[in-house]
Amino acid sequence: MFPNAFEYVAPASLEEAVQALVRYGDDAKVLAGGQSLLPIMKLRVAAPAVLVDINRIPELAGFREDGQELWVGALTRHATLEWDQDLVPRYPLLGETAGSIADPLVRNRGTIAGSLAHADPAADWGAALLALRGAVTVRGSRGDRRIAIDDLFLDVLTTNLEPDEIITGVHVPRPTGHVAAASLKLERKVGDFAVVGVALHVETGASGAIAQAGIGLAAVGPTSLRAREAETLLVGQQLTPGLIREAADLAAKAADPASDQRGSADYKRDIVRVFVERGLGAVRDRLTGIRAESA
Amino acid sequence: MALEITEPRPMGKPIKRKEDARLVRGQGHYLDDIKLPGMLYLALTRSPYAHARIKRIDTTRAKALPGVHLVLTGEDLAKLNLSWMPTLAGDKQMVLATGKVLFQYQEVAAVVAESRALAEDGAQLVEVEYEPLPVVVDPFRALEPGAPVLREDREEASNRIFHWEVGDQAETDAALRNSAVVVKERIRMPRVHPAPLEPCGCIADYNAARAHLTWYVTSQAPHAHRTVLAMVAGLPEHKIHVISPDIGGGFGNKVPVFPGYVAAIVASLSLNRPVKWVEARTENLTSTNFARDYHMEVQLGADRQGRVTALRVTTLADHGAFDAAADPTKFPAGLFSIVTGSYDFPVAYAEVDGVYTNKAPGGVAYRCSFRVTEASFLIERAMNTLALKLQLDPAELRFRNFIPSERFPYRSPLGWTYDSGNYAATLQKALDMLDYPALRREQAERRARGELMGIGISTFTEIVGAGPSNTFDILGIKMFDSCEIRVHPTGKVIARLGTRHQGQGHETTFAQVIAEELGLTTDDVIVEEGDTDTAPYGLGTYASRSTPTAGGAAALAARRVRDKARKIAAHLLEVRDTEVEWDGERFTAAGAPDRAVGMSEVALAAYTNLPAGMEPGLEATYYYDPPNLTFPNGAYVAVVDIDKGTGAVKVRRFVAVDDCGTVINPMVVDGQIHGGLTEGFAIAFMQEIAFDEEGNCLAPNFMDYLVPTAVETPHWETGRTVTPSPHHPIGAKGVGESPNVGSPAAFANAVVDALGHLGVTNIDIPLFPWKVWEVLRQHGVTE
Ligand SMILES: Cc1cc2nc3c(=O)[nH]c(=O)nc-3n(C[C@H](O)[C@H](O)[C@H](O)COP(=O)(O)OP(=O)(O)OC[C@H]3O[C@@H](n4cnc5c(N)ncnc54)[C@H](O)[C@@H]3O)c2cc1C
């Protein structure tokens, strides 16, 4: 199908873009990669009167490491995060996550900030950024503000962004020790949204004990979820099979899935358990490998 | 290695597909590529409800939209007596709804505008007031007393469409009573959709000055469509020109006539301008015909050695709101009576009840010769249950029950005469390709370690090539097919057939058949199909019928050409007709093989140098009425591993040994097998057109109706046995559908086999990971 008729503006600066959003109010929608917005417009589920295309705004492009953080510009495509040779080895969860999204065509267009702004609980970035303890910076008519990832998602397809706010970039803390990650996704076919997704990020300190543990869950609640108790359990510990099993059970308890065509709530919760167990097992193996290499 | 199209004696060789030169370069010419001057676009307003009274339709706003030329409702069509149309199954179907709607996405109004986008805007502006009615989704509920009667237009106050039965019920019941072992199983073949990549569509181009309609349409059966149109719309048949351009996949989806077609034709007739309607993906999946949707119950009897004694099948067929099944007219349940399969059953009985529900109408024969897939799935699943019950290897059980090769032609208890086959050799070949005993040993070892591995066998027999005129017709038209061959003066050939390919490779394979008969190369023969003004009459391409029917016509028409050519050759060689020999490429004088003429010299003579009194030209037409159907068969074996944590099934190996009789082009046959196995895999593991209690379709797009990609698709290993059909002119049986018919049971049997030691005998397809996980959980299996 074709979308309803709409107007199109393509501002060259962030300031103009925010002005356009203020001017058109609820009638306007930001257009980034278009990979979520255009499909729903074609189904006429969404019918914005004005599209504000942010692709020409230079401040939103690129990524860099400043101080304690990695900054990823809002327009960074999934494909960049999948393949960039500076990023992927240092931030393995970014690479693993990006590679499991959709297909190469979608990854070449879709952006990390677009995915977060869309706030689909089944999307992969939300879970990954929870595991990474990320944040976003937004610009609106009242200036800039920073939102921790835990505060971004309110409900299904709902964030705490104001209608005139644009995500300008995503922040990820720089890892300090050894890092290993795993992204596990149950999909019905390649390129499918997750039936259940689990994102794991683990940093170890000098002693080899876990300094940071992040466990993000996709598609098992109204928003992407953090398995907080499981994370707490892991910190300060060594990854043993018993600990991994305990963490997996706790993570499953954090899930709040709904039964649907993709499986019952019980099923999805159990997949969280299985995936956290498998994922932490893989993380342990990777950390062992890294320690062996650096020794 | 594929061979060039200039290869001599092409029969049986892997000649490169002629059509690929344009298709793989994106230079095919599909319906939506056609843009006619002054063309308008049609879009449909559809019902959001599965069952509702229409209180009011207001088209004012739609008509007022600039660029909209016409808005049609059911009331407008009723004035032309076109608000309903007949279905191929002898029922009728609403074109645009009047009074009420009976399924979600039903066609309610049509809007014609300057552009497709405007037409969609207009369709959205049609205001319809509905009063929701109770919805019947479950076909069993539909037959219960007190269920709402959906079809108020019928005299019968019931949702039963038909009751059909075949075989001897009393004898079957008696045999079951006397059987040492009887297994029972409920087997569900869910509603699926052929989902061709190109959806359905048409352009109706009515020219009032010529009183002539040109109708471009995605049609698998253009001649039949023209005749139906002449009968329904009252246009003279010779003033309807149906053109079916390149088709991007049909699989049965493009056999019926759809409401959008009729609406486009009425619009073109009213506006005297070309009108295009092309459905969107969602419209395809939700309204233009589904397939399957059979609820089957089987009882299978056997003696202690596992020899089958009787088969009894009871079926509920969910046809949705209208019986729009695309079956031959006398076969409301298609050829479901092939349900005794490859096994020598002394007696059998099958019954099918067709039922109306608030779902999209159908069903089509999706890559299947009319309910043969349902039948094959049932018997192959039931045999698996019997093997489990008897604790007999499922291969061994089949060897004990196959119809022996020396019993052909074999008369089945449900009335078919199977032409030929060697089932044991075919299964043995598949088992050898896999080293079956080694796999069974591996399975035992893995099981001991708690791993889940399964091997599933399906040894199916199909019935294709409808069909002989004494049995098969569509609305009275006999199901023969045809070929006309013209040999031009330089020996180049144009052949036209009554069929219409959609990717099957006819431009190559039929050229091979004709070239072989005439001593030419595939390159010398152009095959044309799909234009009713040029091609001879035929019933089209579906049900694996093209090679059994039109393929026979092609060989026989070519032989007619050769008969005349022989006379001309005698004249050129200056010998008597009886002294001419054909060596496969040339005519030679008997006893003097160096005196020879080829077909191109003969062709030139047919226009320049004829024997006295002979009619000029070199052409022939053959309308071939096959004496019987053909019975392709095969042995498919799937090997799977199950992930205990997620319930996901990985198909590790899949061997498909097919016997489709004489093989015209082994590469094309492999292509057909690969494609059909991929569809069978999808049906077994990921596809279902499901509905919620309100009748909302839960798979209205490719997000929820899953089509496998190369990533999921298993690697296919193919093999062949060849038992030519004794009655077909070249011994070919048809192959397009075998893989779709035979494979779902192999997959399901493999999964059940992996769980057999837990006491599992059945899991309904599609085998989504969660379903397998539920079964594992019930049996206490976890990771
Ligand atoms: C076939 C297909 C499969 C997919 N599979 C997956 C998958 O497996 N996993 C997954 O995670 N995703 C998947 N996606 C979604 C994909 O990742 C999208 O790219 C992503 O969700 C949206 O990013 P975008 O840049 O395309 O945003 P757009 O579609 O342009 O916008 C999405 C929404 O975010 C808003 N928006 C965009 N950018 C900003 C911004 N900077 N500030 C404020 N608001 C903004 C828009 O207004 C809109 O509401 C799939 C998409 C498709 C088409």
Side-chain angles (χ1 to χ4, degrees), chain A residues 1-5 42-44 186 188-193 260-264 266-267 270-271 273-275 277-278, chain B residues 116-117 120-121 124 280 282 643 645-647 686 690 698 703-704 706-709 711-712 769-770 773-774 777 782-783:
Chain A
M1 277 189 32
F2 287 78
N4 292 75
K42 282 184 166 188
L43 291 171
R44 298 193 172 204
L186 182 67
R188 300 167 304 170
K189 62 177 267 195
V190 69
D192 190 19
F193 277 95
D260 60 17
Q261 292 264 102
R262 294 165 184 237
S264 65
D266 283 349
Y267 174 64
D270 200 48
I271 299 299
R273 177 186 67 80
V274 170
F275 277 6
E277 188 170 343
R278 288 182 188 177
Chain B
R116 170 146 186 176
E120 286 178 9
D121 287 347
Q124 226 180 0
T282 293
D643 179 336
T646 61
M686 54 176 77
L698 300 175
M703 287 278 277
D704 293 307
L706 304 177
V707 179
T709 70
V711 176
E712 296 74 48
W770 64 263
W773 180 91
E774 302 278 353
R777 162 140 304 198
T782 52
E783 174 173 299

Side-chain angles (χ1 to χ4, degrees), chain A residues 29-39 54 74 78 100-103 106 109-111 113-115 117-118 123-125 161 165-167 185 191-193:
Chain A
K29 269 272 172 207
V30 170
L31 174 71
Q35 298 306 299
S36 293
L37 183 55
L38 297 187
I54 58 172
H78 308 325
S100 73
I101 296 173
D103 50 46
V106 172
R109 295 294 310 159
T111 66
S115 174
H118 192 58
D124 297 304
W125 281 128
L161 291 188
E165 281 180 329
I166 294 171
I167 299 178
K185 180 171 173 180
D192 190 19
F193 277 95

Side-chain angles (χ1 to χ4, degrees), chain B residues 647-731:
Chain B
V649 179
K650 171 112 186 107
V651 178
R652 188 202 307 178
R653 288 188 73 183
F654 194 98
V655 163
V657 178
D658 277 279
D659 185 347
C660 57
T662 304
V663 171
I664 300 168
N665 182 328
M667 187 184 66
V668 168
V669 168
D670 272 350
Q672 291 289 299
I673 299 299
H674 284 206
L677 290 177
T678 305
E679 290 174 332
F681 165 73
I683 289 167
F685 289 108
M686 54 176 77
Q687 296 183 333
E688 179 170 10
I689 301 282
F691 296 82
D692 69 11
E693 278 147 38
E694 267 100 60
N696 297 306
C697 179
L698 300 175
N701 51 52
F702 280 165
M703 287 278 277
D704 293 307
Y705 192 73
L706 304 177
V707 179
T709 70
V711 176
E712 296 74 48
T713 302
H715 174 71
W716 310 120
E717 301 167 57
T718 58
R720 217 105 64 206
T721 49
V722 177
T723 319
S725 172
H727 64 74
H728 186 268
I730 60 167

